[in-house]
Amino acid sequence: MIIVGVAVVLVIIVIILVIYNIKISQKIQKFKNINQKITNLQVVQDFMNTIGETSSVDEKIKKINNILIEKYEIKYSTIVVFNGAEYEIKASNVDERHWDSLKSLQDVDMFKDSIQTATPKYVTVNNDNERLPYQKMEFGRAKSAIFFPLYIDNVYIGYWILESGTPHDFDNVDITVLEVIKDNIVSVLKTVVHQKTLESIVRKDLFTGLYSEEYLYGEGKKIIDQYTISTICMFRIVNIEEINQKYCRELGNEVIKEISKYVQDNISEEYVFVRYMGPKFVIVFSGVDAESVASFINDIKDHIEQMKISLPEDTNDYTVQNYEHDHMNMSEQEVTPIINVALSSYYKGTGLEEVLKKLEEYLDNADKQESDITNI
């Protein structure tokens, strides 16, 4: 009887321990889930912060990849995007000598089905003597990998591949967590696509050699947003249409070139100067308030409105529009430009395009004869 009693007690103790271990295991799993959610939230926040930075699209994607590697302790992470002509590696911590194979995975049979069905593909080897099928000259680097095709609005745009140097390293990885990360990568790529478009369409103006308006929203903004406050000056050559009509468009172009050259020669390299549109130009005085630039702008305006501009003596074969002396010597005709100026403050983190729109609306709607410096 004593033995039976002891056995019963032992069974009860074992049951209690099993129940206790189950509860502990559940608590640990719950803690892991909470910890994973916190990590995911931190990653999302880091992603959003990166999107808001004044860096190029490529720099942002590289930083995002580094965040993934650090936060999730990933051995190798590579993001590949189709740019419309070819596949290019946007971010990777893999040695560049292996990039040729990494940016052609869409041609590997084992990943084609993954791309067609928009589902991840997990591949691994069983021992260190084997290599993954897509690796041509690599034996020791990666032994397991997960391939994620990337889609924006149901359009395939590339892929994200995770790799490890250990066989079966991803056997117990929660794919749903990685799917969330993948969706965040897609969100970032979708968000920055407009910035990439702006960066790719920036051109230099033919007559002045100045960057176009789009420069302000990409590389220019990097310079501007190094400071908390800057002053934006937009000026318009108010008599350019009169010069074009009374004399000729070529003389109007000469006026634009001479004004551009003078301003460019007399402002600091720290400031951004672009041909905004037509006869409108923008100077951004980075890190300077409006009161501090008022005197300088006044000097610039005075000098421009004292300029006597004519066509070069070797100018030939120009068409003179609306002018009765068809055979006059155009190089002897001098004109003096008149400009209207508007200033406004810009604060880092606010809408640069809104400030520019406000200045442009003012100059476009101002009296045609107005020649002043207005602080808006």
Side-chain angles (χ1 to χ4, degrees):
M1 292 294 294
I2 295 174
I3 296 176
V4 173
V6 171
V8 170
V9 171
L10 290 174
V11 170
I12 293 173
I13 291 173
V14 169
I15 293 173
I16 292 172
L17 289 173
V18 169
I19 294 172
Y20 176 77
N21 286 335
I22 291 173
K23 289 185 177 181
I24 291 295
S25 178
Q26 290 174 341
K27 287 181 179 180
I28 292 173
Q29 188 60 46
K30 185 177 181 181
F31 175 78
K32 286 183 178 179
N33 291 339
I34 293 173
N35 188 56
Q36 186 65 64
K37 289 178 181 179
I38 292 172
T39 300
N40 290 343
L41 287 173
Q42 289 174 337
V43 170
V44 172
Q45 183 61 54
D46 288 342
F47 277 13
M48 295 303 103
N49 292 340
T50 301
I51 291 173
E53 291 178 354
T54 56
S55 55
S56 69
V57 169
D58 290 342
E59 289 171 345
K60 288 177 180 178
I61 296 174
K62 288 175 183 176
K63 185 168 182 179
I64 284 166
N65 197 51
N66 290 335
I67 290 171
L68 297 175
I69 293 166
E70 178 186 348
K71 295 291 186 181
Y72 295 103
E73 298 180 350
I74 296 169
K75 180 65 174 177
Y76 300 111
S77 176
T78 302
I79 298 173
V80 180
V81 175
F82 184 66
N83 63 13
E86 61 181 357
Y87 287 85
E88 59 178 338
I89 292 182
K90 289 296 185 181
S92 179
N93 64 329
V94 177
D95 192 292
E96 287 191 30
R97 59 182 173 163
H98 304 309
W99 283 15
D100 283 342
S101 61
L102 283 175
K103 66 181 180 181
S104 59
L105 298 184
Q106 72 284 347
D107 297 324
V108 178
D109 290 337
M110 69 167 56
F111 296 130
K112 288 181 179 179
D113 183 60
S114 175
I115 293 171
Q116 292 174 354
T117 58
T119 56
K121 175 73 173 181
Y122 175 38
V123 294
T124 187
V125 297
N126 294 316
N127 57 68
D128 289 333
N129 296 322
E130 298 179 75
R131 67 176 177 180
L132 296 174
Y134 65 86
Q135 294 181 317
K136 299 176 182 178
M137 300 178 64
E138 309 169 66
F139 286 94
R141 186 179 66 81
K143 298 300 180 182
S144 54
I146 305 181
F147 177 92
F148 289 92
L150 304 177
Y151 284 79
I152 292 181
D153 298 331
N154 296 321
V155 177
Y156 172 67
I157 62 159
Y159 49 86
W160 171 43
I161 183 166
L162 303 176
E163 297 174 294
S164 170
T166 304
H168 295 278
D169 200 25
F170 298 119
D171 286 3
N172 299 315
V173 169
D174 188 348
I175 292 294
T176 58
V177 172
L178 294 179
E179 285 280 6
V180 171
I181 300 171
K182 183 261 297 182
D183 290 341
N184 287 330
I185 293 174
V186 171
S187 296
V188 171
L189 292 173
K190 189 175 182 179
T191 302
V192 299
V193 68
H194 300 295
Q195 180 185 342
K196 186 65 177 178
T197 301
L198 282 174
E199 290 175 355
S200 63
I201 65 174
V202 171
R203 296 290 185 271
K204 279 194 173 182
D205 178 58
L206 177 64
F207 296 111
T208 64
L210 299 175
Y211 284 112
S212 60
E213 170 195 355
E214 291 78 16
Y215 179 80
L216 292 169
Y217 307 112
E219 291 298 315
K221 201 167 188 295
K222 289 185 195 177
I223 300 171
I224 300 166
D225 280 354
Q226 290 177 12
Y227 306 90
T228 303
I229 184 172
S230 299
T231 298
I232 299 181
C233 166
M234 182 181 291
F235 68 87
R236 185 181 192 278
I237 307 172
V238 297
N239 61 337
I240 194 70
E241 289 88 355
E242 178 186 349
I243 293 170
N244 288 339
Q245 293 173 6
K246 187 175 181 180
Y247 300 96
C248 64
R249 185 170 294 277
E250 286 73 18
L251 183 53
N253 291 338
E254 192 68 22
V255 168
I256 288 173
K257 285 192 285 187
E258 288 296 319
I259 291 176
S260 302
K261 184 177 185 304
Y262 171 74
V263 174
Q264 201 166 18
D265 289 344
N266 285 275
I267 63 171
S268 168
E269 292 182 356
E270 296 178 8
Y271 304 147
V272 178
F273 180 39
V274 301
R275 185 175 183 183
Y276 187 74
M277 187 179 298
K280 293 189 286 284
F281 296 81
V282 168
I283 310 171
V284 182
F285 296 92
S286 312
V288 184
D289 59 42
E291 186 177 343
S292 300
V293 304
S295 177
F296 177 75
I297 290 297
N298 192 64
D299 291 342
I300 288 282
K301 186 177 188 299
D302 285 346
H303 182 91
I304 289 175
E305 294 183 343
Q306 291 176 20
M307 296 172 75
K308 302 294 183 182
I309 301 173
S310 61
L311 287 171
E313 290 186 2
D314 59 352
T315 300
N316 296 310
D317 299 327
Y318 285 126
T319 301
V320 183
Q321 299 176 351
N322 300 326
Y323 199 82
E324 58 185 15
H325 302 297
D326 293 338
H327 302 290
M328 68 177 182
N329 185 351
M330 289 299 300
S331 64
E332 296 179 357
Q333 303 301 311
E334 291 184 335
V335 295
T336 297
I338 302 171
I339 65 172
N340 197 19
V341 184
L343 305 175
S344 185
S345 296
Y346 164 73
Y347 298 89
K348 178 181 178 180
T350 60
L352 177 60
E353 66 281 359
E354 293 300 322
V355 177
L356 292 167
K357 182 180 179 182
K358 179 176 64 175
L359 293 171
E360 183 179 23
E361 286 178 350
Y362 175 81
L363 292 177
D364 286 347
N365 295 321
D367 187 282
K368 298 297 182 183
Q369 304 304 314
E370 181 179 314
S371 174
D372 206 345
I373 299 176
T374 305
N375 200 331
I376 299 178

